[in-house]
Amino acid sequence: MDQTHRHSTTLGVDIRALRRARGLTLQQLADALGRSVGWLSQVERDLSEPGIDDLRALAKTLDVSISTLFSNAPSPAHEAGRIVRSEARRPIGPGDVGLREELLSPDLTDDFEMVHSTFLPGASLPETVTRPTQEVGYLIAGQLDIEIGGHLFTLQPGDSFRIKGEPFRWANPYKATALAVWVIAPPVY
């Protein structure tokens, strides 16, 4: 029998993974939310479900979009936690500046995350970003300009790159959409 159910990774597990990735204790996150440690512990253990206002506060405090906190579509039991079908990818990131990101990893509990990034024509990240991460990317389609540590590179399909805690930014000044897969450690979403 091929039963489907909600993704094996729950909201609580994702919140715990994000909290830990941010280096926050239960007490620190509870204080930032104006909630008790007991309440937060129950949420992380899926004994209590946060309301929409709590979800908004969690997303803001953990610096993720609220959509990141929602599970992807139900999966067949034998696929849950192992397979992410293209139609069931979870959107992540703010979704602005012409960038659409989807989580390719089954959940946020690994030591890394794998992301599918779509860069629309004309889109750019106007300011450099520096994250305490190691990131490796692979360009699948289109062209993408990426500045890493003050050096500008134009990527073609099949090219890959690495960012190790350096300032970076990207731009797609071209007429075609660019598609890339990024692996980020530790997870930022």
Side-chain angles (χ1 to χ4, degrees):
M1 233 184 276
D2 190 28
Q3 297 178 337
T4 58
H5 61 84
R6 280 200 74 68
H7 192 271
S8 65
T9 299
T10 63
L11 174 62
V13 170
D14 281 347
I15 290 170
R16 181 182 310 118
L18 286 165
R19 175 180 59 79
R20 288 178 175 167
R22 304 296 187 268
L24 297 171
T25 65
L26 273 168
Q27 185 69 58
Q28 290 170 322
L29 182 54
D31 289 348
L33 296 170
R35 299 292 250 153
S36 71
V37 170
W39 175 84
L40 182 57
S41 176
Q42 286 185 342
V43 168
E44 286 190 358
R45 292 180 295 142
D46 292 306
L47 299 175
S48 180
E49 193 168 313
I52 190 67
D53 289 338
D54 290 318
L55 285 172
R56 284 189 185 107
L58 279 161
K60 183 177 180 183
T61 304
L62 294 170
D63 195 28
V64 296
S65 68
I66 195 163
S67 64
T68 302
L69 299 178
F70 292 105
S71 291
N72 50 354
S75 301
H78 69 284
E79 291 185 0
R82 294 183 181 104
I83 306 295
V84 178
R85 300 289 177 186
S86 61
E87 67 277 1
R89 291 182 193 152
R90 187 182 339 178
I92 58 175
D96 53 7
V97 299
L99 171 64
R100 185 175 69 240
E101 296 176 295
E102 299 172 310
L103 188 64
L104 296 175
S105 304
D107 54 43
L108 299 171
T109 61
D110 293 315
D111 294 333
F112 63 91
E113 66 184 325
M114 194 165 164
V115 177
H116 183 271
S117 301
T118 303
F119 304 88
L120 299 178
S124 67
L125 183 61
E127 308 260 334
T128 58
V129 173
T130 304
R131 301 192 285 217
T133 58
Q134 290 189 44
E135 307 184 29
V136 177
Y138 175 79
L139 193 68
I140 300 167
Q143 288 180 278
L144 187 68
D145 291 347
I146 189 164
E147 182 182 322
I148 305 170
H151 301 280
L152 182 62
F153 307 94
T154 298
L155 303 176
Q156 305 292 329
D159 292 344
S160 57
F161 60 90
R162 178 175 64 189
I163 304 166
K164 291 178 83 171
E166 299 174 275
F168 74 93
R169 69 179 172 182
W170 54 263
N172 181 5
Y174 308 102
K175 294 180 182 179
T177 297
L179 302 174
V181 171
W182 290 49
V183 177
I184 304 167
V188 292
Y189 295 109

